[in-house]
């Protein structure tokens, strides 16, 4: 059967346009939720993973870092590869790799086995992730429908972190930590099959891959992220930290220089020429820096200070996830009326309030009196603050660069979260060391360290607010 016949057959049995668009959106959002969940879904399960697979205390952090490091470093390359090789193709390959790696991780019999599986998961996520946004832009062309779709995508991206904690607690408590990995398998298989059946391949733009740009960007981002992750455990005076940090900065600088002169760049710097889009990228870096501290430190506080089990710990984040999803549903109506500037600024203010509120935690704090308010502030703030950014970045980007634009967006999000968490863990470590020297209890050491980290996270949210206030008033047009 010829390719033309196959295409005609697919179209002949395809659902109506609106139903098809809704199904394609559901496929894409399911994939995005899977990729984001795996950033936090392992958090609650870490103690049991450490016991069963005999991780060292320092090695355990690589269960989280191996995924985020590879995912964040290869997103730019994955985005451009989708533009050149086919976005649906990269989407399907990425989801398939992610699914197989999830199965392998669930079967892990050693610490090294699990870390390698997490690395391969990151490879799959980096291949599939940028194409999710690009496929939304190419599949849903009606302006209002696209804004609604991008708002839902933002809700999945922001609320998915909290959902990961809920799901991780539920599966760990009721079954085994291995279910946290296995849960991806049926959804991954379904997404792969449905994408092949219903997602159309957008027009490709044949070109050569920018290998110098790919090499310098990947190694540069990897150097920066690794330096911050390592500094969190060994300090900034470590020679390896300093060398990788300097090397990362130099390589990122070289990457920018190469892209300026490359005939077919990995990243068209013209994507940053639009002021609102450039500012949106900056806020996608700063926002996750502020938010990641919520999940990492509060998970420990709820279990170690409040004494709640993993299942209850996961559900403690439900108000945050629910408020993010609910608010994101209203963004398409609010954006034309108030503009991106007002929404993102309001979201940033709420995040600042939530983080400063958390700096007041102490050993006597309870969930309803001290945690519910900040969680709602962060959830509503994320819904208002991030949803307009997706619209700003993707609504006006040229079709040939949609994958690259999505790759930059998710790179900023993942690298911002990784670097931010590493910085906050470093702050936590220094303050905790001082508390230990004062012979404080383990619970008080935790509270002292995390409240100091929340103060620094609030600084990142303030920076996001400053950037939000510089947005132009007009909203994106149907480009």
């Amino acid at each position: 059967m010829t390719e033309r016949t196959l295409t005609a057959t697919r179209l002949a049995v395809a659902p109506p346009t609106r139903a098809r668009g809704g199904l394609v959106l559901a496929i894409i959002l399911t994939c995005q939720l899977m990729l984001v969940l795996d950033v936090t879904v392992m958090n609650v399960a870490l103690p049991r993973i450490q016991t069963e697979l005999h991780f060292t205390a320092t090695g355990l952090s690589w269960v989280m870092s191996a995924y985020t490091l590879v995912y964040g470093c290869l997103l730019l390359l994955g985005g451009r590869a989708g533009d050149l090789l086919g976005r649906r193709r990269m989407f399907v390959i990425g989801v398939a790799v992610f699914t197989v790696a999830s199965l392998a991780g669930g079967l892990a019999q050693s610490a090294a086995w699990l870390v390698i599986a997490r690395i391969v998961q990151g490879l799959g996520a980096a291949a599939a992730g940028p194409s999710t946004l690009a496929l939304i832009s190419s599949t849903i062309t009606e302006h209002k429908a696209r804004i609604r779709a991008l708002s839902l995508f933002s809700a999945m991206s922001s609320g998915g972190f909290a959902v990961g904690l809920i799901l991780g607690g539920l599966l760990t408590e009721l079954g085994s930590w291995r279910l946290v990995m296995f849960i991806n398998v049926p959804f991954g298989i379904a997404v792969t099959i449905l994408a092949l059946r219903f997602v159309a391949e957008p027009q490709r733009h044949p070109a050569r891959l920018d290998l110098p740009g790919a090499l310098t960007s990947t190694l540069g981002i990897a150097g920066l992220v690794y330096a911050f992750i390592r500094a969190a455990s060994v300090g900034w005076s470590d020679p390896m930290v300093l060398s990788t940090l300097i090397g990362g900065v130099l390589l990122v600088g070289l990457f920018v220089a190469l892209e300026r002169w490359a005939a077919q760049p990995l990243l068209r710097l013209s994507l940053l020429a639009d002021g609102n889009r450039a500012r949106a990228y900056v806020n996608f870096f700063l926002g996750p820096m502020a938010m990641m501290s919520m999940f990492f430190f509060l998970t420990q506080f709820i279990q170690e200070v409040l004494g709640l089990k993993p299942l209850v710990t996961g559900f403690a984040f439900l108000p945050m996830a629910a408020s993010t999803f609910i608010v994101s549903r209203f963004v398409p109506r609010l954006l034309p009326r108030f503009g991106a500037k007002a929404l993102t600024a309001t979201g940033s203010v709420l995040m600042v309030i939530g983080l400063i509120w958390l700096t007041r935690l102490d050993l006597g704090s309870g969930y309803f009196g001290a945690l519910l308010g900040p969680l709602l502030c962060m959830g509503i703030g994320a819904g208002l603050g991030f949803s307009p950014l997706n619209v700003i970045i993707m609504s006006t980007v040229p079709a040939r660069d949609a994958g690259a634009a999505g790759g930059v967006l998710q790179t900023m999000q993942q690298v911002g979260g990784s670097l931010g968490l590493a910085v906050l863990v470093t702050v936590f470590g220094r303050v905790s060391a001082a508390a230990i020297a004062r012979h404080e209890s383990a619970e008080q050491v935790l509270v002292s360290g995390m409240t100091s980290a929340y103060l620094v996270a609030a600084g990142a949210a303030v920076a996001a607010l400053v950037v939000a206030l510089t947005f132009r008033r007009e909203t994106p047009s149907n480009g």
Side-chain angles (χ1 to χ4, degrees):
M1 186 177 290
T2 65
E3 179 62 28
R4 180 175 297 178
T5 304
L6 284 171
T7 302
T9 302
R10 290 192 196 103
L11 293 176
V13 297
T17 302
R18 180 170 295 182
R20 185 187 184 94
L23 179 58
V24 169
L25 181 60
I27 293 168
I28 293 170
L29 292 181
T30 300
C31 171
Q32 179 63 12
L33 184 59
M34 287 169 56
L35 304 186
V36 172
L37 281 177
D38 263 60
V39 177
T40 57
V41 74
M42 306 291 286
N43 264 311
V44 180
L46 287 178
R48 297 191 182 183
I49 292 173
Q50 182 176 15
T51 301
E52 185 169 335
L53 298 184
H54 310 293
F55 272 94
T56 63
T58 54
L60 187 63
S61 65
W62 283 104
V63 175
M64 307 297 298
S65 300
Y67 178 74
T68 56
L69 180 63
V70 176
Y71 185 13
C73 292
L74 295 179
L75 275 165
L76 274 181
L77 181 58
R80 197 56 177 163
D83 287 339
L84 303 182
L85 304 177
R87 292 166 190 159
R88 188 188 71 161
R89 177 182 295 176
M90 291 302 296
F91 178 85
V92 169
I93 291 173
V95 173
V97 170
F98 181 88
T99 302
V100 172
S102 298
L103 177 62
L107 298 172
Q109 300 299 311
S110 67
W113 182 338
L114 181 58
V115 170
I116 292 171
R118 293 287 282 170
I119 290 172
V120 179
Q121 275 189 310
L123 289 171
S131 291
T132 54
L133 278 167
L135 287 170
I136 287 177
S137 296
S138 61
T139 303
I140 304 174
T141 56
E142 197 274 320
H143 183 54
K144 292 183 178 179
R146 183 188 293 178
I147 290 179
R148 287 194 296 270
L150 290 172
S151 296
L152 284 172
F153 182 90
S154 179
M156 286 292 185
S157 300
S158 302
F161 290 116
V163 173
L165 293 172
I166 297 169
L167 185 62
L170 181 65
L171 295 175
T172 301
E173 186 73 17
L174 300 182
S176 164
W177 69 265
R178 296 180 185 277
L179 294 178
V180 172
M181 301 292 287
F182 288 145
I183 192 66
N184 291 320
V185 176
F187 288 101
I189 292 173
V191 167
T192 302
I193 294 173
L194 291 173
L196 287 170
R197 173 66 180 81
F198 293 106
V199 178
E201 180 68 84
Q203 181 182 359
R204 269 188 269 173
H205 303 277
R208 290 180 302 170
L209 190 62
D210 175 21
L211 291 178
L215 185 64
T216 52
S217 65
T218 300
L219 293 179
I221 295 172
L224 291 175
V225 175
Y226 178 78
F228 277 84
I229 290 173
R230 183 174 174 84
S233 58
V234 302
W236 289 100
S237 60
D238 179 70
M240 179 63 74
V241 170
L242 294 175
S243 61
T244 53
L245 180 63
I246 294 171
V249 170
L250 293 176
L251 284 168
V252 170
L254 178 59
F255 166 70
V256 173
L258 289 172
E259 299 309 277
R260 184 178 297 275
W261 302 108
Q264 297 176 335
L266 182 70
L267 169 63
R268 294 182 186 275
L269 297 182
S270 59
L271 288 175
L272 307 179
D274 180 270
N276 267 7
R277 188 182 297 127
R279 295 181 186 99
Y281 279 136
V282 172
N283 264 9
F284 256 123
F285 181 82
L286 294 170
M289 287 186 73
M291 287 196 67
M292 285 304 290
S293 60
M294 284 281 297
F295 310 114
F296 185 79
F297 293 115
L298 275 191
T299 301
Q300 299 176 62
F301 179 85
I302 292 170
Q303 292 188 75
E304 296 180 23
V305 177
L306 299 186
L308 302 180
K309 294 183 177 181
L311 177 60
V312 182
T313 298
F315 277 101
F317 289 89
L318 183 59
M320 180 180 178
S323 58
T324 299
F325 284 122
I326 292 171
V327 169
S328 296
R329 295 286 292 173
F330 289 97
V331 167
R333 300 178 188 176
L334 298 174
L335 190 59
R337 182 175 179 181
F338 297 103
K341 181 176 182 176
L343 295 188
T344 53
T346 302
S348 298
V349 168
L350 288 170
M351 291 173 65
V352 171
I353 292 172
L355 289 166
I356 292 178
W357 196 339
L358 288 172
T359 64
R360 301 179 61 82
L361 288 176
D362 56 39
L363 295 181
S365 298
Y367 178 79
F368 290 100
L371 295 184
L372 181 59
L375 285 169
L376 289 172
C377 283
M378 294 297 289
I380 297 170
L384 290 175
F386 291 137
S387 295
L389 302 182
N390 278 315
V391 177
I392 290 169
I393 291 170
M394 299 304 300
S395 286
T396 59
V397 70
R400 69 177 185 275
D401 294 324
V408 176
L409 185 158
Q410 293 182 329
T411 297
M412 299 298 280
Q413 187 177 38
Q414 294 299 323
V415 174
S418 297
L419 294 184
L421 183 58
V423 170
L424 296 174
V425 169
T426 301
V427 172
F428 173 85
R430 294 200 172 197
V431 175
S432 297
I436 291 172
R438 295 192 298 269
H439 304 290
E440 295 180 356
S441 66
E443 292 81 4
Q444 185 58 57
V445 168
L446 172 63
V447 171
S448 297
M450 66 184 288
T451 51
S452 298
Y454 281 133
L455 186 60
V456 176
V462 169
L465 171 60
V466 172
V467 174
L469 292 174
T470 67
F471 277 110
R472 297 193 303 270
R473 172 63 175 84
E474 60 268 26
T475 57
S477 62
N478 186 9

